[in-house]
Amino acid sequence: MRVVVVGGGVIGLSIAWRAASRGMSVTVVDPAPGSGASAVAAGMLAPVTEVHYGEEALLELNLESSRRYPRFVAELEELTGAETGYRSCGTVTVARDADDLAALDELVAYQRGLGLDVERLRSRELRRLEPGLAPTVRGGALVAGDHQVDPRRLVAALLEACRRAAVRFLPERVEAVEAPAVILESGGTETGDVVVLAAGCWSGQVAGAAAAFGRSVRPVKGQIVRLRRGAGPLPIERNVRGVDAYLVPRAGGELVIGATVEERGFDTEVTGGAVHDLLRAALELVPDVAELTLVEAAAGLRPGTPDNAPVVGPTAVDGLVAATGHYRNGILLAPVTADAVVELLATGEVPAGMAPFSPRRFDKVLSR
Ligand code: FAD
Ligand code: GLY
């Protein structure tokens, strides 16, 4: 089986690594692997904290991928000797005022109704757990099972794993898909038995993929800020989620504050307003953020879809498999997506857990 993977973000690289490990001959085509949303993402692995009303099918997929994460990164780290920054740290959701508390109570009731493990905390309990939180916080909730990974390190480890598994890299932009081949910007052609389109928010832009995706994948801008501690420790240990921002503290001393959610097409400008709003929201929750060194502000483009869920599986185009549309969960969903795509390539069948996320669910919408 010769597999051509278009796009070397966390999704394309995870598929390439797993497929090559199963003995398939894999080529990844990407002018700049790891340069898309995967290079900007915070790396929260928080299926329970980030559950959204009405997205129960997606929750199941997120939980399944979350369960696979420890083994996924352990295998990757053992194989490559690289660290991914994986931490099983938990997340606290924080309420600043009575409105936040009311919303939090509703969320906790919803989470518990779904059988999820979440602990409601009073203000004092919350601050005992995370003394860096502002004294004014009114209460919160702890999801001990949430975790995190450093997406940049993860991508570096995946690149190394791919190299060790003899994945071939073609540093070129794909202009068009003529499955099972792709036409390169340089005019050349790369032919396989199957093409896997994993070009993130750009997947719908590749000519020939329109019949498979049409307008179903779009860019959703996210701006994010990175800070670093000086001599002392970071002011928080766990992921912290507020209403207007989340904070992800890494073991190496980096603190990530995210993120905006903006419908601005392919724009990746970083704006003063967004940086101001993120920092203000973070400072309100964790005042000592003011002491950290500002390292970077960046914007990335999430691959969004009409129902916020990924598109993974065979498309209407023969020989073209989709693996995109992971929106806010692409880092989290990498293990389960890679396993599902490799299963499909090996057996012709999509695993049951991935069946609800077929690209074909948008056929009717796209034909209008
Ligand atoms: P990308 O990482 O965007 O990679 C796509 C690749 O395709 C790129 O390397 C690009 O060069 C290549 N490409 C594009 N066009 C072509 C072409 N024509 N030919 C060849 N190659 C092409 N997810 C989480 O799970 N947890 C988080 O905490 C989280 N935080 C986030 C915070 C922000 C601010 C943002 C923006 C996203 C966040 N996400 C998070 C979402 C996550 O980053 C994405 O869902 C995920 O990175 C998508 O991965 P991908 O491989 O599909 O796409
Ligand atoms: N999942 C976090 C984000 O997309 O910002």
Side-chain angles (χ1 to χ4, degrees), residues 5-13 29-46 50 69 149 151 155 170 172-176 197-203 205-206 220-224 246 248 256-260 298-303 323-334:
V5 179
V6 182
V10 71
I11 297 297
L13 293 175
V29 192
D30 190 326
S35 64
S38 306
V40 179
M44 268 177 91
L45 308 172
E50 297 213 312
Y69 234 96
V149 71
V155 162
L170 266 183
E172 289 222 41
R173 206 178 74 84
V174 168
E175 200 131 279
L197 192 48
C201 72
W202 298 276
S203 298
Q205 304 285 303
V206 179
V220 181
K221 181 177 177 181
Q223 301 193 52
I224 208 160
Y246 57 76
V248 182
V256 181
I257 302 171
T260 64
L301 300 173
R302 306 174 181 91
T324 183
H326 293 80
Y327 189 41
R328 303 188 63 158
N329 297 305
I331 307 300
L332 171 62
L333 287 172

Side-chain angles (χ1 to χ4, degrees), residues 188-207:
T189 303
E190 182 68 21
T191 306
D193 298 309
V194 66
V195 174
V196 178
L197 192 48
C201 72
W202 298 276
S203 298
Q205 304 285 303
V206 179

Side-chain angles (χ1 to χ4, degrees), residues 271-309:
T271 63
V275 173
H276 169 267
D277 291 350
L278 289 170
L279 286 174
R280 189 182 55 182
L283 284 163
E284 207 180 339
L285 297 173
V286 183
D288 281 354
V289 164
E291 307 305 322
L292 304 177
T293 304
L294 181 62
V295 176
E296 181 187 343
L301 300 173
R302 306 174 181 91
T305 61
D307 58 6
N308 300 333

